[in-house]
Amino acid sequence: MQDIIPTLRQALQAAQSGTPGPVFVEFPLDILYPFKVVSETFVKPDATKKARSIAAKAEQYFSNVYLNGIFAQPAEEQDVSPLPVTRPTVSDADISTVAELVMKSKKPMVLVGSQCTLAPNPVGAVRSALEAMRIPSSLSGMARGLLGRHGDFQIRQNRKEAIKDSDMIILCGAVPDFRLNYGRDFRRGKTIVSINRDKALASLNSGLFWKPTLVAEGDPADFLLRLQKKLGQSGFAVDEEWVKTAQNRNKTAEDKNKLRGEEPTDVHLNPIKLLHELEESMDDNSIMVADGGDFVATAAYVTRPRGPLMWLDPGPFGTLGVGGGFALGAKLVRPDADIWLIWGDGSAGYSLMEFDSFQRHKTPVIALVGNDACWSQIHRDQVEILGSGISCMLEYSDYDKAVTAFGARGIKLTRKDQVGLKDAFKDAIKSSRQGQSVLINALIGKTDFRKGSISV
């Protein structure tokens, strides 16, 4: 019992220090119940009776000594104040070096990862720093939405082309793993700076596929704030023609995507069209929770998070099933916001039962299920490589009917509803704001929009 408080203090410290993350603390069963219950169970059911044999007496004696030791209270009141949190920071010398490199570059870009949203630096301050520098920036993970819906220097489309054209890349919490082609696209001769709370991740695959100019262990958010200050003192101004290049790439790709949304699919709705209609229907106070494969990845291209910390997804490992819990947590933290849970039909099966929780706890959310009756992200490559779609096929299940059993509202959308998609979304928003969770079961057809993407 004396170890509980110091152990929890250490766990809380570890969870927030260095690269923050979960810490597992296990409490032994013998301290989860009152002393009397444990004594009667651990010593013997008849522990109150006097032992007769020497062996029994010895067993009873040592058992009681052991239990008394476990449940002994500390002689003095224990300190419950938080232990200091350690956070790596980039040195002033490295900040100055990077600032000089930026000043010399013609086409710098920043790859912003989830670490830029971590405490203690407010995300609003990080956003302001990026906006002050105006260096074209690509946002990933939890950093999606950091520049709002209309960040005019954000690289939303064709990131690979921007990487190819740039002469300097700053990785701020972004990791050169499969998401960045293991660093293969960082052409030799480029200036590459990598800042990460974990130095091993900062230099992942370096020497094999790419060569860093500078690698530093530090908080990327703190780095951006200090870099902006240094550049501001040096009179830095980005080349607006370089910014315009990113803007033009965004517009060209997004116009093309919109046209693809008008192409009819073999059956049901075009998912690209569906998501464009969603994008134009969501309020600015909307939080998006993404949980799925092909449909969700398409949503990442088409929809725009409304602001910092308004996008949640399964992370780089694609941990399907987190959507229901994430949506519940988001609504509890931001009860004033519209919570949009973007589900693939495969991932919906993992946490559909959370609609029971949504209703019972009066935490209304809106779920949009892209239902193509298939694990499409896996099916696409599996058929091409193995010649079989075995285990990938699902059914056009009535997810909208399933949630009505919990008191939620279900809406089904088919091709005949494609003219009124916005009306359906607005209707769902109205029901949610009145306290009722809604599931929109959108039957969609297949497109080749994501052909060639990584599918695991």
Side-chain angles (χ1 to χ4, degrees), residues 79-402:
D79 184 2
V80 295
S81 62
L83 292 171
V85 173
T86 58
R87 177 173 57 97
T89 55
V90 179
S91 68
D92 290 338
D94 282 344
I95 294 287
S96 296
T97 298
V98 176
E100 290 174 9
L101 292 171
V102 172
M103 294 288 288
K104 293 176 181 177
S105 68
K106 302 296 184 183
K107 297 179 179 181
M109 68 178 291
V110 183
L111 301 178
V112 185
S114 297
Q115 289 187 13
C116 290
T117 66
L118 297 177
N121 295 296
V123 288
V126 178
R127 176 179 182 172
S128 296
L130 288 169
E131 290 175 339
M133 292 186 289
R134 287 186 59 76
I135 299 174
S137 302
S138 173
L139 314 179
S140 61
M142 283 288 293
R144 289 180 184 271
L146 187 60
L147 296 174
R149 187 183 180 191
H150 301 293
D152 69 331
F153 60 94
Q154 180 181 341
I155 301 169
R156 289 190 299 273
Q157 307 284 342
N158 293 326
R159 181 179 66 182
K160 191 170 184 176
E161 290 300 311
I163 289 174
K164 181 180 178 181
D165 286 353
S166 66
D167 60 2
M168 179 179 185
I169 302 171
I170 305 174
L171 287 82
C172 287
V175 181
D177 55 15
F178 69 93
R179 292 167 290 179
L180 289 172
N181 198 22
Y182 306 98
R184 287 190 180 97
D185 298 330
F186 301 161
R187 195 175 64 246
R188 299 281 178 174
K190 286 184 186 292
T191 299
I192 312 290
V193 173
S194 184
I195 311 297
N196 199 292
R197 290 190 181 218
D198 185 329
K199 196 165 186 178
L201 291 179
S203 57
L204 189 67
N205 296 312
S206 66
L208 184 63
F209 297 123
W210 64 288
K211 183 178 180 180
T213 307
L214 185 150
V215 172
E217 182 180 18
D219 178 357
D222 174 75
F223 165 80
L224 285 172
L225 297 179
R226 292 162 61 204
L227 177 64
Q228 185 274 318
K229 184 177 180 180
K230 191 74 174 178
L231 289 174
Q233 293 169 346
S234 304
F236 169 76
V238 73
D239 182 353
E240 287 297 328
E241 287 301 314
W242 173 230
V243 175
K244 192 174 292 185
T245 299
Q247 294 171 343
N248 291 337
R249 282 201 181 103
N250 287 340
K251 187 176 187 309
T252 299
E254 287 166 356
D255 287 348
K256 182 179 177 181
N257 291 343
K258 199 148 194 175
L259 288 175
R260 296 190 69 176
E262 300 301 326
E263 298 171 359
T265 49
D266 289 343
V267 294
H268 303 307
L269 296 163
N270 184 315
I272 305 171
K273 170 75 171 179
L274 175 73
L275 291 165
H276 271 115
E277 297 292 287
L278 172 65
E279 165 61 23
E280 294 174 11
S281 302
M282 285 190 298
D283 190 276
D284 284 343
N285 191 25
S286 296
I287 294 175
M288 300 178 68
V289 177
D291 183 14
D294 214 61
F295 183 64
V296 162
T298 303
Y301 279 96
V302 175
T303 61
R304 300 184 189 180
R306 273 28 187 179
L309 302 180
M310 300 183 85
W311 170 277
L312 291 164
D313 65 30
F317 298 112
T319 314
L320 295 186
V322 300
F326 278 13
L328 181 62
K331 189 63 179 180
L332 289 170
V333 172
R334 291 284 305 279
D336 59 312
D338 296 327
I339 308 300
W340 284 91
L341 172 50
I342 313 300
W343 253 335
D345 53 341
S347 57
Y350 284 105
S351 55
L352 188 70
M353 287 294 290
E354 291 296 351
F355 264 83
D356 177 49
S357 303
F358 301 153
Q359 285 299 109
R360 284 190 296 110
H361 295 288
K362 297 179 174 56
T363 50
V365 307
I366 309 166
L368 172 63
V369 180
N371 186 353
D372 62 357
C374 183
W375 293 95
S376 290
Q377 183 161 296
I378 305 303
H379 181 268
R380 182 174 54 248
D381 282 356
Q382 184 174 309
V383 171
E384 188 171 321
I385 297 171
L386 303 177
S388 170
I390 189 170
S391 298
C392 292
M393 304 312 298
L394 302 171
E395 300 289 341
Y396 285 107
S397 299
D398 292 325
Y399 301 107
D400 51 304
K401 292 182 180 179

Side-chain angles (χ1 to χ4, degrees), residues 29-90:
L29 190 62
D30 51 13
I31 65 169
L32 296 182
Y33 294 92
F35 175 81
K36 186 175 184 297
V37 174
V38 177
S39 177
E40 292 176 351
T41 304
F42 180 78
V43 181
K44 273 186 179 180
D46 58 351
T48 56
K49 295 181 181 180
K50 192 173 182 180
R52 294 183 178 180
S53 69
I54 294 177
K57 288 179 179 179
E59 179 185 345
Q60 194 173 78
Y61 172 78
F62 284 111
S63 295
N64 282 321
V65 170
Y66 174 72
L67 285 176
N68 284 319
I70 289 177
F71 283 89
Q73 296 300 316
E76 298 178 0
E77 187 174 343
Q78 290 182 301
D79 184 2
V80 295
S81 62
L83 292 171
V85 173
T86 58
R87 177 173 57 97
T89 55
V90 179

